């Protein structure tokens, strides 16, 4: 059995140098396949004397084993290298933010509503809701607007249909979000802090009025609430909403049946080429109505005005959207014109938060 060392070296070197599985398979056949060199040598064992066979047998077996394990080792290392290559090629940064290709967009009214909710939530207000078809008691009487009160006609109310002979006072499409105050007081009492965003309806139509629009009502009730709390809350709100440090508000004495005293709130601003600048300039823009909740309203909500006071406010959401995002005509808000929505809409996955940015 000469030349076994040379044979061993030849195969082990070639196995180490093999570059793929096919080359390894060829080597396996050439060495230990049926007609492989090592197999042929093993066959020669039969022609040997017992002594010769005793020496050569184990050597050949060892050679066969060595080649078998060299083949397996090389195969494994080729597989490792292939995996390594693949991992390099298919590398993916899972920390990279997604790139949404959504086609829809968020309507400015939804965007602004989300912004308002985020700001008031941060001040401890929760969100309350009420029906859009209201009884006239919730919409008017409970808010200290008796049947003969001029507000009823001023608000251009839509009345629901009643069948002939049905003498009950018709329901109305709510003309403001204020009835949610009453519903919330009756259901939850005081103390409480809520905002109530939603749709409201009035028969009116021009550049700044549509028959359906959006308001957000605010209500805070507790034992020692004053106008000072109202002023601070509204200033904080405006600062966060308009995203400017220096906001200045002017409280103008006014009248609402459901508050006493009542104030309309104006925001210091200027107009530069049709673009609003908040917090500077000589103009004032009315942005909301507010006041201390009228004792009669508290009583209608089942709350004792001797024990509890509170402030309330009502803001036009669409108007805030027009101001903040420079949108000139309210009617276009509700035309469902895709070009308008693409222009003024917001990215669907940008949820406004105080920390992440409201309109970023
Ligand atoms: N409800 C009033 C409106 O629609 C807005 C309003 C004014 C709401 C003063 C209030 C308030 O809560 O205190 O015109």
């Amino acid at each position: 059995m000469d030349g076994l060392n040379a044979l061993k070296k030849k195969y082990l070197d070639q196995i180490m140098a093999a570059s793929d599985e096919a080359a390894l398979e060829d080597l396996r056949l050439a060495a230990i396949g049926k007609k492989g060199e090592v197999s042929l040598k093993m066959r020669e064992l039969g022609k040997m004397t017992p002594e010769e066979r005793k020496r050569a047998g184990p050597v050949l077996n060892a050679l066969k084993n060595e080649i078998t394990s060299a083949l397996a080792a090389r195969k494994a290392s080729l597989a490792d290298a292939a995996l390594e290559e693949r991992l390099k090629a298919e590398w993916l940064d899972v920390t990279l933010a997604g790139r949404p290709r959504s086609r829809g967009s968020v309507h400015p009214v939804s965007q602004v509503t989300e912004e308002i909710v985020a700001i008031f939530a941060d001040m401890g207000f929760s969100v309350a809701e009420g029906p859009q078809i209201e009884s006239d008691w919730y919409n008017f009487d409970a808010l200290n607007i008796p049947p003969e009160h001029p507000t009823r006609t001023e608000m251009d109310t839509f009345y629901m249909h009643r069948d002939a002979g049905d003498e009950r006072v018709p329901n109305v499409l709510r003309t403001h979000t204020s009835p949610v105050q009453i519903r919330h007081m009756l259901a939850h009492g005081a103390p409480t802090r809520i905002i109530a965003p939603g749709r409201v309806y009035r028969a009116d139509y021009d550049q700044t009025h549509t028959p359906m629009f959006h308001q957000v009502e605010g209500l805070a009730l507790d034992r020692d609430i004053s106008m000072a709390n109202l002023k601070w809350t509204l200033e904080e709100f405006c600062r966060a909403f308009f995203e400017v440090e220096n906001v200045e508000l002017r409280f103008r004495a006014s009248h609402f049946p459901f508050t006493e005293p009542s104030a309309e709130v104006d925001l210091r601003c200027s107009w530069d080429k049709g673009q609003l600048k908040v917090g500077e300039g000589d103009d004032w823009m009315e942005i909301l109505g507010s006041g201390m909740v009228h004792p009669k309203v508290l009583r209608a909500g089942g709350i004792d005005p001797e024990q509890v006071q509170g402030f309330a406010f009502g803001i036009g959401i669409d108007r805030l959207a027009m101001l903040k995002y420079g949108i000139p005509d309210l009617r276009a808000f509700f035309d469902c014109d895709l070009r308008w929505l693409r222009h003024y809409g917001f990215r669907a996955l940008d949820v406004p938060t105080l920390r992440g940015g409201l309109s970023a």
Side-chain angles (χ1 to χ4, degrees):
M1 281 281 136
D2 301 325
L4 278 190
N5 272 338
L7 199 61
K8 173 172 156 184
K9 184 171 171 359
K10 173 174 123 186
Y11 280 110
L12 291 187
D13 285 354
Q14 286 187 17
I15 289 170
M16 279 313 290
S19 60
D20 55 32
E21 275 199 38
L24 283 179
E25 179 60 9
D26 289 345
L27 286 168
R28 187 186 70 79
L29 290 173
I32 56 175
K34 250 189 193 150
K35 292 183 183 148
E37 274 188 278
V38 178
S39 311
L40 291 178
K41 290 223 182 282
M42 287 180 130
R43 249 183 250 168
E44 288 173 21
L45 288 173
K47 300 178 207 145
M48 290 178 187
T49 64
E51 278 73 43
E52 281 174 330
R53 196 180 307 139
K54 233 183 195 166
R55 249 188 322 108
V59 179
L60 274 173
N61 268 330
L63 177 60
K64 188 181 175 189
N65 287 341
E66 217 170 326
I67 288 175
T68 307
S69 39
L71 283 167
R74 182 65 188 153
K75 191 171 169 184
S77 85
L78 281 177
D80 281 353
L83 182 63
E84 200 58 36
E85 276 300 302
R86 207 175 132 200
L87 286 176
K88 259 191 228 150
E90 294 179 6
W91 183 84
L92 175 73
D93 183 356
V94 292
T95 65
L96 207 62
R99 270 160 287 185
R101 279 188 293 156
S102 54
R103 289 223 266 152
S105 61
V106 173
H107 193 284
V109 169
S110 305
Q111 167 76 18
V112 166
T113 304
E114 289 295 321
E115 293 181 19
I116 295 171
V117 168
I119 296 167
F120 280 106
D122 198 57
M123 293 195 266
F125 285 72
S126 47
V127 172
E129 284 182 317
Q132 295 174 42
I133 298 174
E134 243 334 340
S135 77
D136 93 323
W137 186 81
Y138 280 108
N139 195 78
F140 295 123
D141 300 69
L143 290 161
N144 194 29
I145 311 173
E148 64 287 355
H149 198 282
T151 302
R152 291 212 180 195
T153 42
E154 274 162 28
M155 276 187 168
D156 301 309
T157 311
F158 287 112
Y159 287 91
M160 303 298 288
H161 175 75
R162 282 267 188 247
D163 287 335
D166 188 339
E167 293 301 315
R168 288 173 302 162
V169 186
N171 285 334
V172 301
L173 288 179
R174 68 178 180 191
T175 56
H176 49 182
T177 42
S178 302
V180 184
Q181 289 188 34
I182 306 294
R183 290 184 174 273
H184 186 78
M185 283 189 250
L186 287 171
H188 300 283
T192 194
R193 263 178 280 175
I194 52 143
I195 55 167
R199 293 182 170 179
V200 300
Y201 302 83
R202 292 180 202 177
D204 210 349
Y205 189 68
D206 61 33
Q207 195 177 346
T208 52
H209 297 89
T210 47
M212 184 282 295
F213 59 106
H214 300 82
Q215 290 187 333
V216 58
E217 194 77 11
L219 175 70
L221 299 176
D222 212 329
R223 288 188 180 273
D224 304 303
I225 287 204
S226 72
M227 287 291 271
N229 301 121
L230 171 66
K231 186 157 189 277
W232 181 86
T233 305
L234 293 176
E235 275 171 0
E236 274 310 293
F237 165 70
C238 288
R239 193 169 295 131
F241 180 76
F242 289 106
E243 301 175 57
V244 283
E245 253 326 290
N246 301 318
V247 290
E248 194 181 335
L249 298 185
R250 180 172 75 178
F251 281 62
R252 209 163 13 83
S254 180
H255 175 77
F256 300 103
F258 27 87
T259 43
E260 180 59 38
S262 303
E264 277 174 301
V265 176
D266 304 335
L267 180 69
R268 186 187 279 284
C269 66
S270 67
W271 288 97
D272 186 16
K273 295 188 200 83
Q275 187 58 44
L276 175 79
K277 284 225 175 80
V278 170
E280 52 187 75
D282 298 322
D283 279 344
W284 292 95
M285 162 112 46
E286 185 199 319
I287 53 164
L288 61 94
S290 65
M292 299 301 293
V293 182
H294 197 292
K296 284 191 181 171
V297 173
L298 290 171
R299 253 182 241 119
I303 283 170
D304 179 1
E306 299 296 325
Q307 303 290 323
V308 169
Q309 304 150 49
F311 65 71
F313 55 84
I315 311 177
I317 295 180
D318 321 75
R319 188 170 156 73
L320 285 191
M322 292 170 80
L323 290 174
K324 181 166 178 180
Y325 295 112
I327 310 174
D329 192 323
L330 179 62
R331 290 169 295 195
F333 275 58
F334 311 116
D335 280 348
C336 300
D337 182 333
L338 274 179
R339 292 162 303 173
W340 187 92
L341 287 167
R342 278 193 201 108
H343 183 75
Y344 287 112
F346 291 81
R347 300 241 314 257
L349 296 178
D350 287 344
V351 178
T353 64
L354 287 186
R355 271 139 214 90
L358 287 181
S359 58

